[in-house]
């Protein structure tokens, strides 16, 4: 039996959920216990919504007598349009502008440029635990430096055999959910550099000061991502469009874990100059089209930054999470050494 998945997201009600072993450093994050209930259906004008995106299903959750559902598909079904402002961490809903489709759009756009509400916090994975809340930047950081994929790793990417620092790891990932559109791509990911970053420097990136926690500290990763063979197959549901967006082809940064199974869930790869999502957006928006439709096979390469929280004085492994729902939850993890 597949393990029960944890749901988060930019949910109506601004709810965050995490595992009991997770560490939560942001002042706005709250650890709770909730129930994910895939039996709950959301219907609008007699039609059942498809609650899914490129990372998997987004089944409703029950908490304190309330039902929480993702903002994007619900708002669009009601004729609204949903966008995401990464700089202010805001879900923006505009009425009367929707297209009533559940497709996803380009994530990680710069401040004041709309991006989808369900991108920064993907479904079926806990919300970023230690992501500081952004404010207006007080300085403009330098863009991420150019770097190439490292030599291919011979490691398996498990917690006992992690990918070494500076080594690249290539894997295929496949998203499919019921009758919705399915996507696939080949990813090559390399962590080229790991640098400590102070709380003051995090504030300079445009974030509010993280909540004080003597058990954790912060690291900035410089990573290289190559995406090849990005394709989409149209689903058979009424909401399937057969259209995806190239910038949505990006593996999910789950967070970090120690050999003793302590975990910090969440990483920040968006919302600041040089962040991986912003670099990707800048790249794909220069293309003639950022859309991927059946018959396409697209690719890109980007180097950017990811901000993470780690445990002090412990071995920490960075984790990417596959979207493939055919895999058991823990089997989706790919471990990278930070040393």
């Amino acid at each position: 039996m597949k393990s029960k998945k944890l749901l988060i997201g930019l949910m109506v009600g601004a709810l965050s959920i995490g595992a009991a072993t997770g560490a939560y450093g942001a002042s706005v994050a709250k650890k709770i216990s909730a129930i994910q209930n895939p039996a709950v259906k959301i219907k609008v004008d007699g039609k059942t919504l498809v609650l899914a995106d490129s990372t998997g299903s987004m089944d409703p959750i029950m908490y304190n007598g309330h039902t929480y559902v993702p903002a994007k598909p619900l708002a669009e079904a009601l004729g609204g349009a949903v966008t995401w402002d990464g700089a202010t961490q805001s879900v923006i809903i505009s009425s009367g502008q929707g297209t009533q489709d559940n497709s996803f759009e380009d994530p990680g756009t710069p401040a004041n440029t709309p991006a989808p509400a369900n991108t920064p916090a993907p479904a079926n994975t806990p919300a970023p635990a230690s992501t500081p809340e952004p404010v207006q930047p007080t300085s403009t950081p330098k863009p991420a430096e150019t770097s190439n994929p490292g030599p291919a790793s011979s490691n398996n990417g498990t917690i006992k055999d992690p990918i070494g620092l500076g080594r690249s790891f290539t894997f295929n990932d496949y998203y499919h959910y019921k009758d919705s559109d399915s996507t696939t791509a080949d990813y090559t990911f390399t962590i080229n550099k790991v640098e400590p970053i102070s709380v003051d420097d995090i504030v300079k990136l445009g974030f509010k000061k993280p909540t004080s926690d003597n058990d954790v500290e912060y690291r900035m990763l410089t990573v290289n991502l190559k995406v090849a063979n990005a394709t989409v197959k149209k689903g058979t549901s009424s909401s399937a469009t057969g259209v995806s967006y190239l910038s949505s082809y990006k593996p999910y940064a789950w967070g970090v874990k120690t050999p003793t199974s302590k975990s910090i869930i969440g990483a920040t790869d968006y919302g600041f100059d040089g962040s991986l999502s912003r670099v990707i957006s800048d790249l794909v928006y220069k293309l003639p089209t950022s859309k991927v439709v059946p018959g396409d096979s697209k690719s890109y390469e980007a180097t950017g930054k990811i901000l993470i929280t780690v445990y002090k004085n412990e071995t920490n492994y960075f984790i990417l999470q596959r979207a493939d729902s055919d895999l058991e939850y823990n089997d989706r993890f790919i471990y990278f050494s930070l040393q």
Side-chain angles (χ1 to χ4, degrees), residues 7 35 41 153 156 212 255 280 283 290-291 305 326 333 337:
L7 172 68
I35 297 174
K41 302 293 186 294
S153 173
N156 294 322
S212 178
I280 292 170
L283 285 172
S290 62
K291 290 183 178 180
K305 305 281 191 178
D326 285 341
F333 290 175
S337 176

Side-chain angles (χ1 to χ4, degrees), residues 18-32:
T21 56
Y24 292 76
S27 59
V28 296
K30 178 183 178 183
K31 184 167 66 173
I32 64 170

Side-chain angles (χ1 to χ4, degrees), residues 2 21 26 37 42-43 45 54 79 82 140 152 162 175 204-205 235 247 259 267 310-311 316 321-322:
K2 286 183 166 46
T21 56
N37 189 352
I42 307 300
K43 294 188 177 183
D45 296 331
S54 64
V82 178
T140 303
Y175 163 73
K204 290 178 182 178
L205 289 175
S247 62
V310 299
Y311 284 102
N316 293 266
Q321 184 184 35
R322 295 178 174 93

Side-chain angles (χ1 to χ4, degrees), residues 174-254:
Y174 173 49
Y175 163 73
H176 54 106
Y177 177 70
K178 294 184 178 179
D179 298 323
S180 61
D181 296 336
S182 59
T183 61
T184 185
D186 296 319
Y187 298 108
T188 300
F189 188 85
T190 312
I191 299 178
N192 285 299
K193 187 184 296 184
V194 180
E195 301 172 285
I197 181 169
S198 69
V199 169
D200 290 340
D201 285 337
I202 290 175
V203 173
K204 290 178 182 178
L205 289 175
F207 297 103
K208 285 187 176 179
K209 186 176 181 179
T211 302
S212 178
D213 188 335
N214 292 328
D215 294 328
V216 303
E217 52 194 4
Y218 303 95
R219 298 285 185 270
M220 184 68 83
L221 311 183
T222 300
V223 306
N224 179 272
L225 173 65
K226 292 185 67 174
V227 178
N229 305 315
T231 63
V232 63
K233 180 180 179 181
K234 186 175 181 180
T236 58
S237 69
S238 59
S239 64
T241 63
V243 176
S244 62
Y245 292 81
L246 187 56
S247 62
S248 69
Y249 291 81
K250 177 172 68 72
Y252 176 62
W254 185 89

